[in-house]
């Protein structure tokens, strides 16, 4: 009974206006805890120690903590999502982006097919879901954006939130350009025939542009009509006018969607998230009816066992999970901060991951079925070309008339040509083979999948296989534009929410803040719509994004699992949600996730250092795509971008260290941190506590 009294005394302060926080560091910290978390009346944090790991004492510890402590409502000026559906749509919309449509199928084809799927699903549920749950729970628990959350968890890593903020800003700049490309293609789709389906004529002439004739019409349209691309990244130029207009319209749509916070963006998400799933379903059904779809799906399901043991495959799979799901951006945290604390974020994490997986698998089946059809068509063209070659050789007298292919071959080449060639005498085969092309369906599929290096060119090639291509072009680019919009809404939440949490006065100026940010982001995006802008997009997307995001997720994981304490955080959530949570998350956060993330980070860093960074460029002299190496100044720019992005992490650590080593008595907030030891009788809590009490502003210089 005496022990219970001591436990009760140390678990909650006697003053209803005070707040007790168990610190995982023995030093005195002048915490920059958010005022909305600290200043609420009667609002308290749990005092469960991160050192408590046994499950047996879990119930006893939780009994000493008032369940109302963690279910307090947020300040009245903080908005909420209108309902749970809009909240889930926001999370799903952010996690399902443009990379889901092309990058996932492409990686699957080039990294073992079915083996890649096995690795992806395994990593998704063992690493992706627990980290997604961690970010959602942190935002929901702390009621803050990324900057405020990690300052509460540990001031030592408070810079993580600033790095997430910077990542959102930079990614938002070039991701909006991807959406602008989709909008431009969408506008161009309202024509018949489609402008990229045929080569343009020379001015005042009936002949086709020779630069287009030397390549494909879709590739020519992309580089010459859409991008107005230069041959090298060194060549500059002013922003392309039509792309500048597209970017302006993009940011106008984003601004309108975000102008009233969750109230307006939630309504827009009903269209931008639900419509893409409906379109994907329609595309899936249509693609499965195409000739050759079965061959494409068979290639998908053919697992390559060696890929399961390849470190490179695991690295690419891990990067795809974090880049496609959106860990580390701070957007999941920001979106979750607008939902009541009693929301079941465990189920939400699984729901978002499953819907992301469903979208990825649906897009993959659609792409493989369509690519199988394209490969079959190309193979049939190869058969017909060979048949015409044989006919020419017969006419010139090189081959005897007996080897003439049947007329039915031109109508059903896929079935007639193999039979005809198989029935030829061996002597005739040896005479014919030197003049024929090698028609192999597997090679054709490989060529199609490796084909255009740019996703938009591949997508326009895909559209050409459908009858009524104009309609399908509109449908597909509506899909891409909506995927881009829903992702941009999530990225903008990762920018606006931390700003409003850091500067409380901005909460009342949501419209002005949103417009101001959108204007600045639009101006910054113009860098990427210059003739060489797409090469900068590739530089950031292919080489810059991975390292900062992996570092952010590693520090988030370590901070929650080992600094704040996974045991204590789970106890928080059990009280907050009012339901038990599997202790397996504790093991995943503390051991498996940090290990896998660290291996991925080191592997990615080594890969980046050892590999020459290259980009796919247009060479107008030969009318073809060529691989060029980025110049040395671009490499320096890449390094500077990475360093600047992660600089807030060590900078804020040093700031906290100096603040601890040389405490000042000038306090400009309304929170004073007083250090006091815990009661001696509490053996489970050996760490000192920080008792935070409200007080008036104290300025020693005024005294």
């Amino acid at each position: 009974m005496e022990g219970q009294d001591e436990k009760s005394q140390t678990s909650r302060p006697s003053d209803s206006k005070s707040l007790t926080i168990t610190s995982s560091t023995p030093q005195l910290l002048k915490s920059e805890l958010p005022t909305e978390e600290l200043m609420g009346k009667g609002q308290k944090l749990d005092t469960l120690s991160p050192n408590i790991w046994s499950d047996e004492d879990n119930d006893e510890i939780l009994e000493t903590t008032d369940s109302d402590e963690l279910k307090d409502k947020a300040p009245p000026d903080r908005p909420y999502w209108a309902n749970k559906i809009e909240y889930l749509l926001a999370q799903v919309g952010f996690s399902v982006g443009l990379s889901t449509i092309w990058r996932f199928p492409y990686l699957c084809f080039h990294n073992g097919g079915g083996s890649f799927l096995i690795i992806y699903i395994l990593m998704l549920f063992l690493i992706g879901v627990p980290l997604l749950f961690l970010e959602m729970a942190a935002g929901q628990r702390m009621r803050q954006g990324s900057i405020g959350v990690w300052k509460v968890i540990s001031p030592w890593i408070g810079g993580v939130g600033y790095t997430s903020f910077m990542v959102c800003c930079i990614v938002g700049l070039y991701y909006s350009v991807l959406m602008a490309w989709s909008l431009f293609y969408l506008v161009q789709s309202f024509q018949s025939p489609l402008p990229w389906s045929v080569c343009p004529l020379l001015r005042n002439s009936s002949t086709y542009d020779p630069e287009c004739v030397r390549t494909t019409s879709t590739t020519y349209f992309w580089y010459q009509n859409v991008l107005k691309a230069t041959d090298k990244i060194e060549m500059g130029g002013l922003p392309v006018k039509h792309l500048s207009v597209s970017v302006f319209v993009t940011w106008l749509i984003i601004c309108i969607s975000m102008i009233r916070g969750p109230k307006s963006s939630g309504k827009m998400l009903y269209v931008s998230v639900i419509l893409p799933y409906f379109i994907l379903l329609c595309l899936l059904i249509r693609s499965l009816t195409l000739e050759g779809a079965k061959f494409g799906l068979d290639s998908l399901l053919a697992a390559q066992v060696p890929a399961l043991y390849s470190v490179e495959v695991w690295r690419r799979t891990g990067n795809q999970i974090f880049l496609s799901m959106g860990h580390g951006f701070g957007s999941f945290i920001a979106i979750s901060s607008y939902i009541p604390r009693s929301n079941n974020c465990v189920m939400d994490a699984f729901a978002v991951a499953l819907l992301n997986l469903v979208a990825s698998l649906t897009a993959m089946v659609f792409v493989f079925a369509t690519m199988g059809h394209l490969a079959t068509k190309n193979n049939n063209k190869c058969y017909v070309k060979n048949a015409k070659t044989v006919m020419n050789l017969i006419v010139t007298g090189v081959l005897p008339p007996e080897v003439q292919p049947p007329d039915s071959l031109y109508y059903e080449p896929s079935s007639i040509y193999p039979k005809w060639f198989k029935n030829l005498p061996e002597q005739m085969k040896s005479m014919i083979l030197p003049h024929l092309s090698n028609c192999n369906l597997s090679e054709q599929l490989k060529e199609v999948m490796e084909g255009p290096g740019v996703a938009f060119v591949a997508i326009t090639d895909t559209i050409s296989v459908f009858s009524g291509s104009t309609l399908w072009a509109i449908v597909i680019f509506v899909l891409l534009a909506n995927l881009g919009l829903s992702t941009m809404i999530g990225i903008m939440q990762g920018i606006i929410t931390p700003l409003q949490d850091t500067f409380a006065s901005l909460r009342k100026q949501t419209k002005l803040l949103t417009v101001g940010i959108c204007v600045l982001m639009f101006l910054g995006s113009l860098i990427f719509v210059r003739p060489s802008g797409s090469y900068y997009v590739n530089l950031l997307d292919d080489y810059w994004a991975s390292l900062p995001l992996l570092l952010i997720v590693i520090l988030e994981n370590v901070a929650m699992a080992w600094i704040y304490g996974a045991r204590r955080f789970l106890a928080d959530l059990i009280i907050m949600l009012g339901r038990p949570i599997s202790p397996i998350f504790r093991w995943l956060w503390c051991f498996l996730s940090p290990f896998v993330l660290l291996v991925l980070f080191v592997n990615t860093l080594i890969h980046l250092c050892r590999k020459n960074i290259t980009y796919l460029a247009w060479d107008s002299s030969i009318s073809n795509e060529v691989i060029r190496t980025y110049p040395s100044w671009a490499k320096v720019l890449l390094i500077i971008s990475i360093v600047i992005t992660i600089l807030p992490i060590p900078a804020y650590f040093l700031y906290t260290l100096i603040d601890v080593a040389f405490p000042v008595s000038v306090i400009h907030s309304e929170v004073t941190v007083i250090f006091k030891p815990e009661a001696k009788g509490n053996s489970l809590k050996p760490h000192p506590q920080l008792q935070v009490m409200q007080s008036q502003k104290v300025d020693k210089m005024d005294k």
Side-chain angles (χ1 to χ4, degrees):
M1 197 69 171
E2 183 179 353
Q4 291 180 358
D5 291 337
E6 288 181 345
K7 196 177 299 181
S8 175
Q9 291 172 4
T10 56
S11 64
R12 59 174 65 87
S14 58
D15 189 347
S16 61
K17 293 184 179 180
S18 62
L19 172 67
T20 304
I21 304 174
T22 304
S23 174
S24 56
T25 54
Q27 294 93 341
L28 169 62
L29 299 180
K30 247 164 119 127
S31 176
E32 294 187 22
L33 299 178
T35 56
E36 75 170 37
E37 183 71 25
L38 295 177
M39 303 301 292
K41 292 184 179 181
Q43 189 169 349
K44 308 162 188 173
L45 291 177
D46 65 286
T47 59
L48 296 172
S49 171
N51 293 337
I52 303 173
W53 280 84
S54 61
D55 290 329
E56 291 79 3
D57 61 331
N58 188 50
D59 293 336
E60 180 184 355
I61 295 169
L62 297 183
E63 285 175 1
T64 67
T65 309
D66 188 358
S67 62
D68 291 335
E69 292 176 1
L70 300 179
K71 293 185 179 181
D72 289 343
K73 296 181 180 179
D77 60 341
R78 190 173 191 85
Y80 279 97
W81 294 103
N83 51 61
K84 178 68 175 284
I85 294 177
E86 291 184 7
Y87 162 73
L88 278 177
L89 289 177
Q91 299 282 27
V92 173
F94 171 68
S95 69
V96 179
L98 294 172
S99 64
T100 303
I101 302 299
W102 181 250
R103 183 179 286 174
F104 185 86
Y106 179 86
L107 287 173
C108 183
F109 180 80
H110 291 282
N111 292 278
S115 298
F116 173 84
L117 284 180
I118 294 172
I119 297 172
Y120 185 88
I121 293 174
L122 186 66
M123 291 189 70
L124 177 65
F125 286 100
L126 289 181
I127 308 297
V129 171
L131 294 176
L132 179 59
F133 169 44
L134 186 150
E135 290 195 350
M136 286 182 171
Q140 185 175 315
R141 165 71 178 85
M142 306 299 178
R143 310 290 299 168
Q144 291 285 312
S146 56
I147 293 178
V149 161
W150 301 113
K151 286 182 180 180
V152 172
I153 299 302
S154 173
W156 297 106
I157 63 153
V160 170
Y162 292 99
T163 296
S164 293
F165 175 82
M166 294 182 66
V167 168
C168 281
C169 291
I170 297 175
V171 172
L173 291 177
Y174 73 80
Y175 202 93
S176 62
V177 175
L178 306 185
M179 184 178 167
W181 292 342
S182 301
L183 289 178
F184 179 76
Y185 267 104
L186 176 60
V187 173
Q188 296 296 312
S189 298
F190 290 91
Q191 303 179 46
S192 185
L194 294 170
W196 58 79
S197 61
V198 291
C199 286
L201 297 173
L202 291 174
R203 184 174 298 178
N204 301 325
S205 174
S206 59
T207 59
Y208 292 109
D209 188 332
E211 188 176 352
C212 179
V213 172
R214 292 195 298 264
T215 183
T216 63
S217 58
T218 52
T219 304
Y220 176 85
F221 182 84
W222 167 251
Y223 284 105
Q224 293 299 330
N225 288 47
V226 179
L227 300 180
K228 303 291 184 183
T230 58
D231 287 5
K232 296 180 179 179
I233 191 174
E234 292 91 340
M235 301 177 182
L238 295 174
V240 179
K241 290 183 180 179
H242 61 264
L243 287 182
S244 300
V245 173
S246 296
V247 170
F248 174 78
V249 173
T250 295
W251 281 108
L252 181 62
I253 295 173
I254 294 169
C255 185
I256 294 173
S257 302
M258 300 289 299
I259 195 71
R260 297 178 59 199
K263 292 182 180 179
S264 57
S265 59
K267 302 300 180 289
M268 187 68 73
L269 290 168
Y270 281 105
V271 177
S272 63
V273 177
I274 295 176
L275 182 60
Y277 277 90
F278 177 75
I279 293 176
L280 276 176
L281 180 61
C282 294
L283 291 173
L284 174 65
I285 295 172
R286 181 68 183 91
S287 64
L288 292 176
T289 63
L290 297 172
E291 178 190 5
K294 183 177 182 300
F295 173 74
L297 296 180
D298 289 341
S299 303
L300 164 65
L301 298 175
Q304 300 174 16
V305 177
L308 294 172
Y309 310 106
S310 171
V311 176
E312 183 65 14
V313 172
W314 282 82
R315 182 189 68 81
R316 291 175 180 172
T317 306
N319 285 340
Q320 172 63 15
I321 287 176
F322 293 112
L323 290 176
S324 66
M325 286 289 291
H327 298 89
F329 282 83
S331 296
F332 287 124
I333 295 174
I335 294 170
S336 297
S337 69
Y338 298 115
I339 196 74
R341 281 179 170 166
S342 58
N343 174 64
N344 188 353
C345 50
V346 182
M347 296 303 297
D348 293 345
F350 279 98
V352 171
L354 283 174
L355 288 172
N356 181 284
L357 180 62
V358 167
S360 299
L361 294 178
T362 304
M364 183 180 61
V365 172
F366 160 68
V367 169
F368 270 83
T370 308
M371 294 298 107
H373 175 68
L374 276 175
T376 302
K377 279 186 65 176
N378 291 345
N379 208 48
N380 289 344
K381 290 178 182 178
C382 181
Y383 287 154
V384 172
K385 180 182 177 182
N386 283 349
K388 290 180 178 179
T389 301
V390 172
M391 291 299 296
N392 291 335
L393 292 174
I394 292 174
V395 171
T396 56
V398 177
L399 295 176
E402 290 80 8
V403 299
Q404 179 177 343
D407 293 337
S408 58
L409 184 147
Y410 297 97
Y411 301 100
E412 296 182 11
S414 59
S415 58
I416 302 299
Y417 181 90
K419 293 179 182 178
W420 163 76
F421 188 81
K422 184 178 180 180
N423 293 330
L424 289 175
E426 291 298 327
Q427 184 180 1
M428 292 295 105
K429 287 183 181 179
S430 60
M431 293 176 62
I432 293 174
L433 279 175
H435 304 281
L436 301 183
S437 301
N438 181 24
C439 301
N440 185 286
L441 196 54
S442 298
E443 290 299 319
Q444 292 290 347
L445 179 63
K446 184 177 179 181
E447 183 178 343
V448 168
M449 289 298 293
E450 288 181 346
V454 180
F456 279 89
V457 179
I459 290 168
T460 50
D461 281 340
T462 302
I463 292 171
S464 65
V465 309
F466 297 117
S467 57
S469 55
T470 299
L471 173 63
W472 287 107
I474 295 171
V475 168
I476 288 177
F477 287 112
V478 166
L479 164 69
L480 296 180
N482 277 280
L483 287 175
L485 175 60
S486 59
T487 302
M488 280 303 303
I489 288 176
I491 291 174
M492 288 295 289
Q493 290 287 1
I495 297 173
I496 293 175
T497 302
L499 286 176
Q500 290 183 320
D501 290 338
T502 305
F503 306 100
S505 59
L506 294 177
R507 292 178 192 155
K508 299 178 181 179
Q509 305 293 334
T510 300
K511 294 181 181 180
L512 184 61
L513 176 64
T514 303
V515 172
I517 291 175
C518 288
V519 169
L520 292 175
M521 295 290 280
F522 161 68
L523 295 175
S525 298
L526 293 178
I527 298 173
F528 301 103
V529 295
R530 298 186 306 151
S532 59
S534 63
Y535 305 144
Y536 290 92
V537 172
N538 294 336
L539 178 67
L540 293 175
D541 196 46
D542 294 342
Y543 300 105
W544 167 80
S546 298
L547 279 179
L549 287 174
L550 282 172
L551 181 61
I552 289 170
V553 177
I554 289 172
L555 292 176
E556 287 180 353
N557 193 168
V558 171
M560 188 63 77
W562 292 101
I563 299 179
Y564 186 83
R567 169 68 179 81
R568 182 153 63 106
F569 185 61
L570 272 182
D572 282 2
L573 299 181
I574 292 172
I575 300 170
M576 185 174 73
L577 303 181
R579 56 177 60 88
I581 299 175
S582 174
I584 193 174
F585 285 107
R586 207 166 69 216
W587 180 82
L588 293 174
W589 287 336
C590 291
F591 302 107
L592 185 62
S593 295
F595 173 76
V596 173
L597 289 170
L598 190 60
V599 170
L600 279 175
F601 179 80
V602 172
N603 198 284
T604 302
L605 184 61
I606 293 173
H607 178 78
L608 188 61
C609 293
R610 295 178 60 182
K611 180 183 177 182
N612 287 329
I613 57 174
T614 59
Y615 64 102
L616 199 65
W618 176 251
D619 191 334
S620 57
S621 62
I622 60 175
S623 299
N624 202 0
E625 296 172 322
V626 294
I627 297 177
R628 301 188 190 277
T629 302
Y630 278 106
S632 55
W633 62 264
K635 297 176 183 177
V636 173
L637 179 63
L638 175 64
I639 295 172
I640 292 174
S641 301
I642 294 174
V643 171
I644 289 177
T645 306
I646 65 177
L647 187 61
I649 296 174
Y652 201 87
F653 179 86
L654 289 176
Y655 166 77
T656 305
L657 183 63
I658 294 172
D659 200 33
V660 171
F662 306 100
V664 295
S665 57
V666 180
I667 302 174
H668 294 285
S669 67
E670 297 184 359
V671 179
T672 304
V673 181
I674 300 175
F675 184 80
K676 76 170 188 177
E678 288 188 318
K680 296 180 179 180
N682 192 351
S683 60
L684 292 176
K685 299 181 178 64
H687 294 298
Q689 290 186 330
L690 295 177
Q691 186 182 45
V692 183
M693 298 183 298
Q694 294 184 11
S695 65
Q696 301 297 324
K697 292 183 179 180
V698 179
D699 194 330
K700 188 176 180 180
M701 293 182 294
D702 294 336
K703 293 184 178 181

